[in-house]
Amino acid sequence: METKPQNSLLKRIQGTSGADVEDLECIICTDLLWKPIACNNCDSLYCSQCIKNWLVKSPENCPHCQNYAERRCSPFVIKQLAKLQFACINQPNGCPEIIGYEALEKHEIECSYKLQQCSGCHLTVLEKELAKHEDNCESIRLTCSECNVTYSRCNASSHTENICLREQLRQFRQNSAAYKQHQAQIIEQQNSTIQSLQQEQAEITNRLTAQLERQKVDIQKHEMKIEEHSQQLKQLPNKFMSK
Ligand SMILES: [Zn+2]
Ligand SMILES: [Zn+2]
Ligand SMILES: [Zn+2]
Ligand SMILES: [Zn+2]
Ligand SMILES: [Zn+2]
């Protein structure tokens, strides 16, 4: 991460061990170099984040020579920076540490003098004291393990056993009402399924009955024709004889 410490590094220098700080400034942010890289054409030094932001707006344009080509920072500069000692960014909150350039980032990530907000009263307290504060803060929300209702610690005494039992009863009623409603829905669905099955069955019966009727009529017609033919057959000899 190329994050730059928020407060001016220059103002927090506690010792230089002979390093010339003026040669170690970034001309973009005018603060001390942070994770520096250099322009290969003019040897200007920049914080890597500063030049990155700069090049987004004007690509390949070195702020000094207008022709940027990146190279690594010289070991000499790294050595000079490493000589510097700083007050922790959390010194105003009481951190007493004096830290070397190379250890600064790690310390400030882990420093226990950072401020944190209490989730109850929203006051800012030191990170290292937050747990102790929240254990006693009257505004911290607590959750009843019996009924899951939440309340501020300062109202804990008003969540009496009586109130808790009533709340549990209310939740029980609410749940059983919801359960009944759910069951009613299931029954309704099943009824409509049965209804549509019955309807389907009735349609099939009607169709089959109609088919059967048509077949009966056909059979009757055939029988009549057979009757007709046999009558004609019976009359045949008579016809011959009458000739
Ligand atoms: Zn810079
Ligand atoms: Zn340049
Ligand atoms: Zn610190
Ligand atoms: Zn609090
Ligand atoms: Zn409760």
Side-chain angles (χ1 to χ4, degrees), residues 88-91 95-97 99 107-108 111-113:
C88 172
I89 198 166
N90 298 313
Q91 192 192 46
C95 180
E97 297 290 321
I99 314 112
H107 169 80
E108 290 182 354
C111 178
S112 59
Y113 284 85

Side-chain angles (χ1 to χ4, degrees), residues 114-127 129-141 153:
K114 281 191 289 252
L115 293 179
Q116 292 262 329
Q117 201 175 43
C118 167
S119 61
C121 66
H122 304 299
L123 275 178
T124 47
V125 288
L126 291 182
E127 188 181 83
E129 285 163 10
L130 184 66
K132 203 178 118 197
H133 170 89
E134 288 192 338
D135 279 349
N136 296 295
C137 176
E138 288 290 290
S139 305
I140 285 285
R141 302 292 293 176
R153 179 176 278 127

Side-chain angles (χ1 to χ4, degrees), residues 131-160:
K132 203 178 118 197
H133 170 89
E134 288 192 338
D135 279 349
N136 296 295
C137 176
E138 288 290 290
S139 305
I140 285 285
R141 302 292 293 176
L142 301 175
T143 304
C144 174
S145 60
E146 299 293 326
C147 68
N148 288 321
V149 157
T150 64
Y151 43 81
S152 296
R153 179 176 278 127
C154 59
N155 295 326
S157 60
S158 60
H159 189 69
T160 58

Side-chain angles (χ1 to χ4, degrees), residues 39-44 46 62-69:
C39 171
N40 201 27
N41 291 321
C42 67
D43 291 334
S44 294
Y46 305 107
C62 172
H64 188 245
C65 74
Q66 279 78 49
N67 186 18
Y68 184 74

